[in-house]
Amino acid sequence: MPAPASPAPGPAATGTVTTDVPSRLDRLPWSRWHWMIVIGLGTVWILDGLEVTTVGNIAGRLSEPRSGLSISSAQVTGVAAALYVAGACAGALFFGWLTDRHGRKKLFMITLAVYLAATALTAVSFDAWWFFTFRFLTGFGIGGEYAAINSAIDELIPARFRGRVDLIINGTYWLGAIGGSLLSIVMLNTDIFPKDLGWRLTFGLGVVLGLVILLVRRHVPESPRWQFIHGRGDQAEQLVASVEEEIEEERGEPLPAAQGDITIEQRKGIGFGTIARTVFGTYPKRAVLGLALFVGQAFLYNAITFGFGSILTTFFDVPTGGTGYYFAVIAAGNFLGPLLLGKLFDTVGRRVMISSTYLLSGLLLFVTAWLFDQGSLNAVTMTACWCVVLFFASAGASSAYLTVSEVFPMETRAMAIAFFYAIGTAAGGISGPLVFADLTKSGVVADTVLAFQIGASLMCAAGLVAVFLAVKAERRSLEDIAAPLSTASAPAGTSSSASAARAT
């Protein structure tokens, strides 16, 4: 069923309002409306997974004669990968600021359009500089998606489901990775497609999938939480009321009354100075936590898995066209982690689950590095080890996005996601591929062992930080975890069970 139509944007008002919109959203039962949110927003990570995996798997093909590009495998897994991540960091910061200022919906439509255009132009690359340019711009669009979408998801999903939904949605990246791995097997088969065509069609299929997602996403509404803070309280009330009506009709019974409201001073925007003072001055421990989680997972994923195909071909003589089978297996392990462990983040709790997933994945990676150094692994057993490591690492990495999305005030949410993503990913995702591409292509076992040990050390360090600093955010309203900066004292005579956003 389509989502209720969002009210037409009108002029933003300012003033003091009391609203129970957050409590009304959090008390909603799971419904078709929530599934529409998940499908419309969450499926973009499939595109990201498809992109990254495709490029990793076609690296060998692009470096071959008659591929249509004069480029080396190391340039694809090193320079192009670093540019993709650099673009994602820049896009996260640029679009993150716009998202907090102009709304979630407007930006998650724009960022997907940027991604689609850049991917289409990557498919027609004729020289290395063109390929590098549009890898950067593809990342630019994806980075904006991270900020706009994670903030929208957390603001629309009820508190008791927020952890598992956020983790699973971020985990769908690996469904795209599975698709990219299997797709590369077909597209790199020269009996089916010429060397200079198969990899281009792979990018083209990503564009087709993105267009389908764009059509679905049109029905996803603006965040009511963003609306009532930015002077659009009437629109927020109309939207939530229409969703409640739809869900009551779907269930055949009235919804329980919402409990609690909040009074805020509406504003149209917020400056970088206020954001910085809030994140680092008011919540310094949460800032340290966010940085630790993002740096740890960025080194593990962006640094090592970008070169997994090269490891298979260099050390285990796996043919270029066969790496997709192995990557599909570890991608499945990555998706199963958030899928099977996600509920525990809402029940056992954030602190226990975040710290344990980071620590376990780091320790298991140390074991994998030792076995590899001893010469005890082959292509199959190496893949099995990685599958187990990434089962836990994927849940932990997804929880990094969940954490920075929910532990800072509403007005800073998208920018906070963008900042921590950009800093953490720049540390691990730009320097990592550049350094580790040289380590894994050297053919020296000790160099690859060092790469594994660096990733493992940072994951363990982040897990230890989470032991002491992780926030117990499970099943709590976003406004309870971090009060909006616009929060004001409720005016006299205001009921705590208000049923609408109302000017005072």
Side-chain angles (χ1 to χ4, degrees), residues 83-95:
L83 285 171
Y84 177 84
V85 176
C89 294
L93 291 170
F94 177 71
F95 289 119

Side-chain angles (χ1 to χ4, degrees), residues 53-77:
T53 308
T54 295
V55 173
N57 287 333
I58 69 174
R61 174 55 46 81
L62 290 176
S63 65
E64 295 174 358
R66 300 189 305 280
S67 70
L69 278 182
S70 178
I71 195 170
S72 70
S73 178
Q75 284 180 308
V76 177
T77 59

Side-chain angles (χ1 to χ4, degrees), residues 80-137:
L83 285 171
Y84 177 84
V85 176
C89 294
L93 291 170
F94 177 71
F95 289 119
W97 176 72
L98 292 176
T99 297
D100 275 335
R101 192 171 185 85
H102 298 292
R104 285 41 172 146
K105 178 164 186 170
K106 183 178 294 184
L107 269 298
F108 63 59
M109 297 296 287
I110 292 174
T111 53
L112 182 55
V114 170
Y115 162 83
L116 290 172
T119 300
L121 289 167
T122 301
V124 297
S125 296
F126 57 88
D127 203 349
W129 69 265
W130 181 281
F131 184 80
F132 292 151
T133 299
F134 288 101
R135 289 307 295 159
F136 175 87
L137 291 175

Side-chain angles (χ1 to χ4, degrees), residues 312-323:
L312 291 176
T313 56
T314 301
F315 295 101
F316 302 115
D317 297 322
V318 175
T320 301
T323 59

Side-chain angles (χ1 to χ4, degrees), residues 2-279:
S6 298
T14 56
T16 302
V17 298
T18 297
T19 180
D20 63 352
V21 161
S23 62
R24 290 164 68 189
L25 289 170
D26 281 337
R27 68 76 154 91
L28 292 175
W30 194 260
S31 66
R32 289 193 296 266
W33 185 78
H34 294 105
W35 277 117
M36 182 270 298
I37 299 296
V38 169
I39 294 170
L41 297 183
T43 46
V44 73
W45 303 145
I46 296 176
L47 291 178
D48 193 13
L50 185 70
E51 277 287 321
V52 172
T53 308
T54 295
V55 173
N57 287 333
I58 69 174
R61 174 55 46 81
L62 290 176
S63 65
E64 295 174 358
R66 300 189 305 280
S67 70
L69 278 182
S70 178
I71 195 170
S72 70
S73 178
Q75 284 180 308
V76 177
T77 59
V79 177
L83 285 171
Y84 177 84
V85 176
C89 294
L93 291 170
F94 177 71
F95 289 119
W97 176 72
L98 292 176
T99 297
D100 275 335
R101 192 171 185 85
H102 298 292
R104 285 41 172 146
K105 178 164 186 170
K106 183 178 294 184
L107 269 298
F108 63 59
M109 297 296 287
I110 292 174
T111 53
L112 182 55
V114 170
Y115 162 83
L116 290 172
T119 300
L121 289 167
T122 301
V124 297
S125 296
F126 57 88
D127 203 349
W129 69 265
W130 181 281
F131 184 80
F132 292 151
T133 299
F134 288 101
R135 289 307 295 159
F136 175 87
L137 291 175
T138 301
F140 192 72
I142 284 291
E145 289 275 290
Y146 277 101
I149 289 179
N150 276 290
S151 54
I153 288 169
D154 284 353
E155 290 164 14
L156 292 168
I157 298 298
R160 63 191 181 281
F161 302 116
R162 188 173 61 241
R164 74 197 75 174
V165 170
D166 201 297
L167 259 70
I168 292 171
I169 283 177
N170 279 282
T172 58
Y173 170 99
W174 295 102
L175 290 179
I178 295 172
S181 298
L182 298 178
L183 187 63
S184 68
I185 295 169
V186 177
M187 294 301 179
L188 296 180
N189 187 336
T190 53
D191 291 335
I192 302 175
F193 298 105
K195 280 186 177 182
D196 62 346
L197 179 62
W199 64 268
R200 298 181 190 276
L201 292 178
T202 304
F203 285 113
L205 289 174
V207 175
V208 173
L209 178 58
L211 288 171
V212 173
I213 295 173
L214 188 65
L215 293 175
V216 175
R217 190 174 287 183
R218 293 181 307 160
H219 301 293
V220 178
E222 180 59 82
S223 163
R225 283 178 157 101
W226 182 88
Q227 287 176 323
F228 73 70
I229 282 182
H230 288 79
R232 302 183 187 277
D234 289 342
Q235 294 172 35
E237 161 58 23
Q238 292 171 37
L239 175 58
V240 174
S242 65
V243 172
E244 290 171 330
E245 182 180 348
E246 177 186 324
I247 294 176
E248 286 180 339
E249 181 180 347
E250 177 184 331
R251 294 172 61 87
E253 60 183 14
L255 294 170
Q259 300 296 320
D261 54 22
I262 185 172
T263 300
I264 58 103
E265 297 285 348
Q266 295 176 311
R267 62 172 76 198
K268 294 182 179 180
I270 185 170
F272 281 112
T274 302
I275 293 173
R277 286 192 299 271
T278 301
V279 172

